[in-house]
Amino acid sequence: MSAPTKVRRRVGRARDLESLAAELGRDHEEVAVRNGKRSGVPVVVGIHSTILGPALGGARMWAYEATEDALADVLRLSAAMTLKAAAAGLSLGGGKGVICAPPGSPPSGDARRDMLLDFGDLVEELGGRYVTAEDVGTQAADMSIIRERTTHVTGLPVEAGGSGDPSPFTAIGVEAAMRACAKARYGSADLSDARIAVVGLGHVGSRLAANLKKAGAEVIASDVVTARHATAEALGAAWTEPDEAMLAECDVLAPCAMGGAINAATAPALRCEIVCGCANNQLADDSLADDLAERGVLYAPDFIVNAGGLIHVYRELRDFSEDKAVELVLGIEGAMQRVLDAARSAGTTPLGAARQLARERLEGSAGATP
């Protein structure tokens, strides 16, 4: 992606986003921007690639401080979805949607419904090149509202005939990836007695923490939402503040909140041996993968680690069983092992190896569709 402009503009009407999209989205197939006719808020869809199939990516509802931030999310996350789908062997491309919510509390009632319907109109306008699903700020029930305006939506509630909440499957995949990383670092995939810091106790993080406790791990938990302290207590996890959790002395650090948590300031201060979490775009800059490797920290590429949710909603599109979905999600352990083996053989970082494997599939030289 091109370097973002240094001028940070507050989110305005769609024409402001259109100019930025043209400036920053040159490596994307399409970046569609509309001003919601009901809600008046900008809605955006970025289609990075449809080489392997329709671009699938969640609909993120967020109150962005600046226009640049909204576009950066769409562009960065849609590109990551291309890599994720390719590396997972799915017949999907990469996309992302954003609903630019106003400042303040999350939208509710008619205001929320209008935003979702406006977003559904944009998805429908794209004619199936983009398929949406839930993401940060949205949930399965919201997909039912979007479904009123378009059929190009997945992750619907179970009672509506959909696959439901994908977060338990994302958590299963993260744990599977951790096992591969533990085997590479310690010679055993056993996570019992491992000390693991889970930073972010949202839908995925809380389930991951619960799974790790069941596996016998010592779990440190944290979240910027202080009310989730009670969640940590219920799980039997030790609570610590978010800034402290990122720098906790542990075997595995699992960033499970928003992206960019590992940056130029935090990377040198990490006191873990493995970074393996569900957050997208955990590295503020890809060059940090080299810095971590030089310090002996194994960084598991997030688009390999967190593919479980994508695999789960994919089953709704391909109509295969939940048992098959679980089998594919557990296969993330093997996928991560292949990435680590390839990195070792090529003398590169796991991130570099994972990107190469994804590129090979995009070029048609590797990978099979389940």
Side-chain angles (χ1 to χ4, degrees):
M1 190 180 76
S2 305
T5 174
K6 293 183 179 179
V7 180
R8 291 171 60 80
R9 289 160 280 187
R10 290 197 61 81
V11 172
R13 297 184 65 81
R15 62 176 176 270
D16 302 317
L17 287 171
E18 286 173 351
S19 61
L20 270 181
E23 178 184 345
L24 301 178
R26 298 186 186 95
D27 62 344
H28 280 59
E29 291 182 11
E30 183 175 0
V31 182
V33 183
R34 302 291 182 270
N35 211 69
K37 63 182 181 182
R38 302 171 188 82
S39 66
V41 306
V43 292
V44 189
V45 169
I47 298 176
H48 179 258
S49 172
T50 57
I51 291 173
L52 297 176
L56 191 149
R60 177 165 294 194
M61 184 182 287
W62 197 254
Y64 292 93
E65 182 179 333
T67 307
E68 175 188 315
D69 298 333
L71 257 298
D73 248 6
V74 167
L75 298 174
R76 182 178 62 247
L77 294 169
S78 57
M81 289 300 293
T82 296
L83 294 175
K84 185 185 300 188
L90 308 180
S91 296
L92 292 172
K96 203 69 178 182
V98 157
I99 301 168
C100 297
S105 301
S108 61
D110 289 342
R112 184 182 189 88
R113 177 178 172 81
D114 285 347
M115 293 178 197
L116 294 166
L117 292 174
D118 287 337
F119 184 76
D121 285 339
L122 175 54
V123 174
E124 178 63 18
E125 186 180 327
L126 294 169
R129 296 183 63 236
Y130 168 71
V131 179
T132 197
E134 69 174 88
D135 198 87
V136 174
T138 60
Q139 52 194 337
D142 293 325
M143 298 305 106
S144 291
I145 296 175
I146 293 173
R147 180 68 173 75
E148 294 178 25
R149 304 300 303 170
T150 182
T151 59
H152 307 300
V153 57
T154 187
L156 294 164
V158 173
E159 59 270 21
S163 56
D165 182 4
S167 56
F169 294 82
T170 305
I172 291 170
V174 176
E175 185 182 3
M178 279 186 188
R179 289 194 293 269
C181 292
K183 185 174 182 180
R185 177 50 53 94
Y186 305 118
S188 171
D190 186 2
L191 296 176
S192 64
D193 298 326
R195 182 175 169 85
I196 302 174
V198 179
V199 186
L201 287 177
H203 291 302
V204 178
S206 59
R207 288 174 170 86
L208 174 62
N211 292 349
L212 293 171
K213 285 295 294 183
K214 289 179 183 177
E218 177 188 353
V219 178
I220 304 167
S222 180
D223 199 290
V224 294
V225 179
T226 55
R228 289 177 179 163
H229 191 162
T231 302
E233 288 184 346
L235 293 172
W239 175 265
T240 188
E241 295 305 313
D243 290 344
E244 296 175 6
M246 283 295 298
L247 305 180
E249 186 174 354
C250 57
D251 300 308
V252 183
L253 173 67
C256 293
M258 297 293 278
I262 299 175
N263 52 42
T266 57
L270 294 182
R271 296 194 296 165
C272 60
E273 295 196 59
I274 296 167
V275 175
C276 181
C278 71
N280 288 307
N281 302 112
Q282 293 164 34
L283 303 181
D285 187 285
D286 285 353
S287 65
L288 291 168
D290 296 306
D291 296 341
L292 293 177
E294 289 175 4
R295 294 187 57 231
V297 177
L298 192 164
Y299 171 68
D302 50 64
F303 61 87
I304 302 292
V305 176
N306 63 20
L310 176 63
I311 291 169
H312 190 245
V313 296
Y314 183 68
R315 85 173 184 87
E316 195 171 319
L317 299 177
R318 296 295 178 182
D319 195 28
F320 56 81
S321 70
E322 187 147 311
D323 286 344
K324 177 64 174 177
V326 171
E327 177 187 334
L328 292 172
V329 172
L330 290 173
I332 289 174
E333 183 172 353
M336 181 58 69
Q337 187 61 61
R338 288 190 291 276
V339 166
L340 297 176
D341 289 344
R344 189 162 45 249
S345 296
T348 187
T349 65
L351 178 60
R355 287 183 178 278
Q356 180 59 31
L357 291 171
R359 281 194 294 267
E360 287 174 359
R361 180 153 189 268
L362 287 166
E363 293 165 0
S365 59
T369 302

